[in-house]
Amino acid sequence: MLTKSIPSLFTVGNLFLGVLSIILVFNGESGRAAVLVIVAMLLDGLDGRVARALNAQSEFGKELDSLSDVISFGVAPAFIMYVVAFNDPNVISPAFAWIVTAIFPICGALRLARFNVVAGTPGYFIGLPIPAAGGVLCTLALFKAEINVYVLLVSTVLLSYLMVSTVKYPNFKKAGIPKAAIWITPIIVAAAILIAVQWPESISKMIFVPLLLYALYGLKKNVDGIFIRLRRKNKRRAVEDKNSVKSDL
């Protein structure tokens, strides 16, 4: 029974860090708040692997994971961005800031609900996974001094769209861990927390780059798909025009 509960402990830890992140950002510690979201991503990546290694997968764990993800990677990053960048009525209309902030966790919840009920493509996620979207958003907020606030607004909406899109993203979660190596996972988590506490903003900004590249990968695939469809449409039209000319002759 205790063994079966271990994956859920990782998931609860993920949720706990998400709640702490919200508390920290409202206490003016946005750097530490962002890094807690990053550590929560680590826990989120470990819970499924531990469950598979222990053969402890369950519907309860799946639902708990989704509920935790909404808080840690939907609500927490949205609050971080709001407090850091959108909470100035002299720059952005409060109502508009509230709407953009709310859109992000709403799209995250929709994406998780679709993930739970719609069969995906083996090896791929359909839509940007909410942990990646949340990781990009909370670390992007740390660049508020270097990036125009309207760019941050557009980025928030774009990340929200990518979550509910049908763009395929590579799925790295299927890579498992040996059962004998499970005892190492608490050490990894403890080391991650120690590093995060020591260098919060530096670590968060370093993590931002690979997360951004992952998110942009899907955006590029989406744009490429649009151009491919346009080329096919133009080819069909050219063929139809050619056949029409022949029939007239």
Side-chain angles (χ1 to χ4, degrees):
M1 184 64 178
L2 180 60
T3 302
K4 298 290 185 181
S5 301
I6 292 175
S8 293
L9 292 177
F10 282 94
T11 307
V12 170
N14 161 14
L15 175 59
F16 177 68
L17 292 178
V19 173
L20 282 186
S21 176
I22 295 170
I23 294 171
L24 283 176
V25 73
F26 278 104
N27 281 280
E29 297 189 47
S30 56
R32 294 191 189 280
V35 85
L36 286 186
V37 173
I38 301 302
V39 178
M41 288 179 63
L42 174 62
L43 292 177
D44 181 63
L46 287 173
D47 60 5
R49 290 177 171 85
V50 171
R52 286 189 292 274
L54 296 175
N55 194 25
Q57 296 168 282
S58 66
E59 285 301 312
F60 172 81
K62 186 178 179 181
E63 296 301 326
L64 179 62
D65 183 64
S66 293
L67 292 170
S68 299
D69 286 358
V70 170
I71 301 298
S72 297
F73 311 122
V75 177
F79 271 128
I80 291 171
M81 182 61 83
Y82 174 78
V83 171
V84 171
F86 300 163
N87 196 19
D88 186 353
N90 296 319
V91 178
I92 305 171
S93 162
F96 185 61
W98 297 342
I99 291 169
V100 173
T101 301
I103 283 173
F104 186 82
I106 289 170
C107 288
L110 291 171
R111 192 228 174 270
L112 287 166
R114 182 179 66 185
F115 175 77
N116 286 343
V117 299
V118 178
T121 304
Y124 290 92
F125 290 116
I126 304 301
L128 180 63
I130 187 173
V136 172
L137 192 69
C138 70
T139 51
L140 183 64
L142 301 181
F143 293 91
K144 194 262 180 182
E146 293 86 12
I147 301 176
N148 185 280
V149 67
Y150 295 106
V151 174
L152 296 177
L153 279 167
V154 171
S155 299
T156 303
V157 174
L158 182 58
L159 286 168
S160 302
Y161 161 73
L162 287 175
M163 283 193 287
V164 296
S165 72
T166 56
V167 177
K168 293 180 181 177
Y169 282 86
N171 179 1
F172 303 115
K173 274 196 165 187
K174 294 300 181 183
I177 56 175
K179 188 174 181 179
I182 288 176
W183 65 272
I184 300 176
T185 53
I187 299 174
I188 295 173
V189 173
I193 292 173
L194 184 63
I195 294 170
V197 169
Q198 193 68 29
W199 302 286
E201 292 208 15
S202 301
I203 295 299
S204 297
K205 289 182 177 181
M206 285 173 58
I207 297 292
F208 169 74
V209 176
L211 289 175
L212 180 64
L213 291 175
Y214 184 70
L216 290 177
Y217 166 83
L219 185 62
K220 178 183 179 299
K221 295 284 284 185
N222 200 30
V223 172
D224 288 347
I226 292 172
F227 281 116
I228 289 171
R229 287 194 294 272
L230 285 174
R231 282 198 294 269
R232 286 175 180 170
K233 186 177 180 180
N234 290 334
K235 282 182 181 178
R236 283 197 302 268
R237 188 176 296 168
V239 170
E240 289 172 358
D241 290 344
K242 189 181 292 185
N243 291 336
S244 176
V245 170
K246 287 181 179 178
S247 63
D248 289 341
L249 294 173

